[in-house]
Short mmCIF file of all heavy atoms in Angstrom, two decimals:
data_model
loop_
_atom_site.label_atom_id
_atom_site.label_comp_id
_atom_site.label_asym_id
_atom_site.label_seq_id
_atom_site.Cartn_x
_atom_site.Cartn_y
_atom_site.Cartn_z
N ASN A 425 -27.87 15.60 -16.50
CA ASN A 425 -27.89 17.04 -16.27
C ASN A 425 -27.00 17.51 -15.14
O ASN A 425 -27.24 18.59 -14.57
CB ASN A 425 -29.31 17.49 -15.99
CG ASN A 425 -29.89 17.00 -14.72
OD1 ASN A 425 -29.27 16.12 -13.99
ND2 ASN A 425 -31.14 17.44 -14.38
N MET A 426 -26.00 16.75 -14.82
CA MET A 426 -25.05 17.07 -13.73
C MET A 426 -23.88 17.83 -14.26
O MET A 426 -23.36 17.56 -15.39
CB MET A 426 -24.58 15.81 -12.95
CG MET A 426 -25.65 15.19 -12.12
SD MET A 426 -26.06 16.18 -10.69
CE MET A 426 -27.13 15.08 -9.82
N THR A 427 -23.31 18.77 -13.49
CA THR A 427 -22.10 19.53 -13.88
C THR A 427 -20.83 18.69 -13.64
O THR A 427 -20.88 17.74 -12.88
CB THR A 427 -22.00 20.83 -13.13
OG1 THR A 427 -21.75 20.52 -11.74
CG2 THR A 427 -23.24 21.67 -13.34
N GLN A 428 -19.72 18.99 -14.28
CA GLN A 428 -18.45 18.26 -14.02
C GLN A 428 -18.02 18.50 -12.65
O GLN A 428 -17.43 17.51 -12.00
CB GLN A 428 -17.35 18.80 -14.97
CG GLN A 428 -16.13 17.98 -14.91
CD GLN A 428 -16.33 16.53 -15.23
OE1 GLN A 428 -16.90 16.20 -16.30
NE2 GLN A 428 -15.75 15.69 -14.37
N ASP A 429 -18.25 19.63 -12.03
CA ASP A 429 -17.87 19.79 -10.57
C ASP A 429 -18.61 18.88 -9.68
O ASP A 429 -18.03 18.32 -8.75
CB ASP A 429 -18.19 21.27 -10.18
CG ASP A 429 -17.83 21.58 -8.76
OD1 ASP A 429 -16.62 21.47 -8.41
OD2 ASP A 429 -18.80 21.84 -7.96
N THR A 430 -19.87 18.65 -9.98
CA THR A 430 -20.68 17.70 -9.18
C THR A 430 -20.10 16.34 -9.33
O THR A 430 -20.02 15.55 -8.36
CB THR A 430 -22.17 17.79 -9.50
OG1 THR A 430 -22.65 19.09 -9.44
CG2 THR A 430 -22.92 16.79 -8.75
N PHE A 431 -19.80 15.91 -10.49
CA PHE A 431 -19.19 14.67 -10.84
C PHE A 431 -17.87 14.40 -10.00
O PHE A 431 -17.63 13.40 -9.34
CB PHE A 431 -18.87 14.36 -12.29
CG PHE A 431 -20.04 13.78 -13.06
CD1 PHE A 431 -20.86 14.65 -13.81
CD2 PHE A 431 -20.37 12.52 -13.01
CE1 PHE A 431 -21.94 14.19 -14.57
CE2 PHE A 431 -21.46 11.95 -13.68
CZ PHE A 431 -22.26 12.82 -14.48
N ASP A 432 -17.05 15.45 -10.01
CA ASP A 432 -15.77 15.42 -9.27
C ASP A 432 -15.94 15.27 -7.82
O ASP A 432 -15.23 14.51 -7.17
CB ASP A 432 -14.91 16.68 -9.64
CG ASP A 432 -14.46 16.75 -11.03
OD1 ASP A 432 -14.45 15.70 -11.70
OD2 ASP A 432 -14.13 17.87 -11.49
N ARG A 433 -16.84 16.10 -7.22
CA ARG A 433 -17.13 16.04 -5.80
C ARG A 433 -17.74 14.70 -5.41
O ARG A 433 -17.39 14.03 -4.39
CB ARG A 433 -18.06 17.09 -5.32
CG ARG A 433 -17.43 18.53 -5.34
CD ARG A 433 -18.53 19.57 -5.08
NE ARG A 433 -17.92 20.96 -5.14
CZ ARG A 433 -17.65 21.63 -4.03
NH1 ARG A 433 -17.73 21.01 -2.83
NH2 ARG A 433 -17.20 22.78 -4.15
N ALA A 434 -18.58 14.14 -6.25
CA ALA A 434 -19.29 12.88 -5.98
C ALA A 434 -18.25 11.73 -6.04
O ALA A 434 -18.30 10.80 -5.27
CB ALA A 434 -20.35 12.62 -7.01
N GLU A 435 -17.26 11.82 -7.00
CA GLU A 435 -16.25 10.76 -7.02
C GLU A 435 -15.42 10.66 -5.70
O GLU A 435 -15.16 9.58 -5.23
CB GLU A 435 -15.37 11.01 -8.19
CG GLU A 435 -14.28 9.98 -8.35
CD GLU A 435 -13.43 10.06 -9.61
OE1 GLU A 435 -13.31 11.17 -10.14
OE2 GLU A 435 -12.88 9.01 -10.07
N LYS A 436 -15.07 11.76 -5.16
CA LYS A 436 -14.28 11.81 -4.01
C LYS A 436 -15.05 11.18 -2.85
O LYS A 436 -14.50 10.36 -2.08
CB LYS A 436 -13.93 13.30 -3.60
CG LYS A 436 -13.40 13.49 -2.20
CD LYS A 436 -12.09 12.75 -1.90
CE LYS A 436 -11.57 13.13 -0.58
NZ LYS A 436 -10.39 12.22 -0.18
N ILE A 437 -16.30 11.51 -2.68
CA ILE A 437 -17.14 10.96 -1.58
C ILE A 437 -17.29 9.42 -1.90
O ILE A 437 -17.28 8.64 -0.91
CB ILE A 437 -18.54 11.57 -1.55
CG1 ILE A 437 -18.36 13.05 -1.11
CG2 ILE A 437 -19.48 10.94 -0.51
CD1 ILE A 437 -19.60 13.91 -1.13
N CYS A 438 -17.56 9.04 -3.19
CA CYS A 438 -17.69 7.60 -3.44
C CYS A 438 -16.44 6.77 -3.03
O CYS A 438 -16.58 5.66 -2.57
CB CYS A 438 -18.05 7.41 -4.97
SG CYS A 438 -19.69 7.88 -5.45
N LEU A 439 -15.34 7.29 -3.35
CA LEU A 439 -14.07 6.61 -3.02
C LEU A 439 -13.84 6.57 -1.57
O LEU A 439 -13.38 5.53 -1.08
CB LEU A 439 -12.90 7.32 -3.69
CG LEU A 439 -12.93 7.29 -5.25
CD1 LEU A 439 -11.67 7.95 -5.87
CD2 LEU A 439 -13.02 5.89 -5.83
N ASP A 440 -14.27 7.54 -0.80
CA ASP A 440 -14.16 7.47 0.62
C ASP A 440 -15.16 6.53 1.20
O ASP A 440 -14.86 5.79 2.21
CB ASP A 440 -14.31 8.88 1.25
CG ASP A 440 -13.09 9.76 1.07
OD1 ASP A 440 -12.12 9.32 0.45
OD2 ASP A 440 -13.10 10.87 1.59
N LEU A 441 -16.33 6.43 0.63
CA LEU A 441 -17.30 5.45 1.02
C LEU A 441 -16.78 4.03 0.80
O LEU A 441 -16.96 3.10 1.62
CB LEU A 441 -18.58 5.62 0.27
CG LEU A 441 -19.54 6.74 0.77
CD1 LEU A 441 -20.63 7.00 -0.33
CD2 LEU A 441 -20.26 6.35 2.04
#
Side-chain angles (χ1 to χ4, degrees):
N425 66 354
M426 289 288 185
T427 65
Q428 187 58 51
D429 178 64
T430 302
F431 274 102
D432 292 342
R433 289 172 180 263
E435 179 172 27
K436 168 62 176 169
I437 296 175
C438 286
L439 296 182
D440 284 3
L441 282 167

